Amino acid sequence: MGKIISICNQKGGVGKTTTCVNLSAALGVLEKKVLVIDTDPQANASVSFGFGADQLNNPALEYMDFTSVIKNNIIKTNAPNVCLFPFFEDLNFFEKSSVVSKFQKALQKIKHSYDYILIDCVPFFKAKNLEILATSDAVLIPVQCDYYALEGLHKFLKTVRFVQKKMNEKLHIEGFLLTMYDKRLNLSNKVVDYVRSYFKDLVFNTLIERNSKITQAPSFGQSVIEFDATCVGAQCYLQLASEILVRNKDVKEVMLNNEVETTFNSRTFSSVSSEETKSDVLYGKILDSFKNSSEHQSFSFLNNFDELLSLKKKTVEKIMGSCYKNHFGNTWVYKINSSNLFKKKYLHIHFDNGTVSHYTTKWFSR
Ligand code: ADP
Ligand code: MG
């Protein structure tokens, strides 16, 4: 049964949308099925996934069966395992109370199809957010590491308590997430200390650092993980996803506590670390193993990876290096670094019934 987490704070510009998009992508890479619901008329989350308002159709939801409308309008994004219910320009389903309950009921119906449903909320505190909180299992509160970090937070928490009391007693705080942290700044560190001393265990251990790649990624219609999985911003969101899985005891047998990160790193960043030299070794290894097998004499990975198609997981692991501590996952991601000749940066290998069904590559050059 999926967990509905709304990403909410009464303030704008604190990293709600950024967190929604990148956390969903990170959870997706960790093999969780995620649905993102964009409730902001600015449609920033939809745009961050590469969908413009002009690409979205706008059904008159008010008169329709809400569940089927939601189901029919969910879009698959480029991020593995992440779907999006985009904001629809001409509908304001939250502001019509008759439709609100339909929304809640519909979400309950589709909940079982996902592991996590993340809702990107509007900044200012509106009735819409109340309804979203009433529908959610948890609320994740991004707090920007700046001077005004806690401004208005008190009022917001009062509202959360109101919702817990009157509308939705199962609502809990998933955590406070410190965003745009800059370790060089005294102020940033002070805010971290203060928020931690005040909210204690409710604050995520993960700090989201300020990182320019996070700002650039949306203009390419990508999450920061697709944009550059090695950058600090991507690492922060991957770490946050791991922390959420651990907090929710939602990790597979072998992926417990500290191992979550290790397991993740070893599969995403292939069998080696992200260091340039080691990645070169992997690159060499891939080519060598294919060169050694006679039927692939002339094969070059520089252009395509078709030779991987139909191979079994074990064979792929042999060629590409160890990727998983278990073999459950059906999307394996390898990072392939350096060398000007080698332009591809990420290789996503998709399995169906234990064999490679297709693969996708993310290009190095931008
Ligand atoms: P909100 O949804 O709360 O209004 P956004 O997620 O849109 O906030 O973030 C506001 C601005 O801050 C955006 O321009 C975004 O790119 C930028 N931003 C958010 N998080 C980071 C970060 N960790 N590093 C750098 N820029 C960030
Ligand atoms: Mg936003």
Side-chain angles (χ1 to χ4, degrees), residues 11-18 44 180 208-211 214-215:
K11 280 177 80 174
V14 295
K16 292 184 293 295
T17 303
T18 304
N44 288 347
M180 296 183 236
I208 306 297
E209 294 191 31
R210 190 176 276 283
N211 178 245
I214 286 182
T215 328

Side-chain angles (χ1 to χ4, degrees), residues 7 9 11-20 22 40 42 44 120-123 142 144 178-181 208-216 218 233 236-237:
I7 302 183
N9 184 324
K11 280 177 80 174
V14 295
K16 292 184 293 295
T17 303
T18 304
T19 298
C20 192
N22 296 314
D40 189 341
Q42 288 177 43
N44 288 347
D120 186 26
C121 296
V122 282
Q144 187 182 347
L178 289 153
T179 62
M180 296 183 236
Y181 169 71
I208 306 297
E209 294 191 31
R210 190 176 276 283
N211 178 245
S212 64
K213 296 275 172 72
I214 286 182
T215 328
Q216 290 168 46
C236 289
Y237 277 106

Side-chain angles (χ1 to χ4, degrees), residues 296-320:
H296 295 113
Q297 279 290 340
S298 58
F299 177 78
S300 160
F301 264 129
L302 296 179
N303 297 315
N304 69 61
F305 292 82
D306 287 352
E307 267 69 2
L308 293 173
L309 294 174
S310 305
L311 293 184
K312 292 203 168 96
K313 284 184 175 174
K314 276 224 157 90
T315 321
V316 172
E317 193 175 35
K318 247 188 191 166
I319 296 165
M320 304 294 286

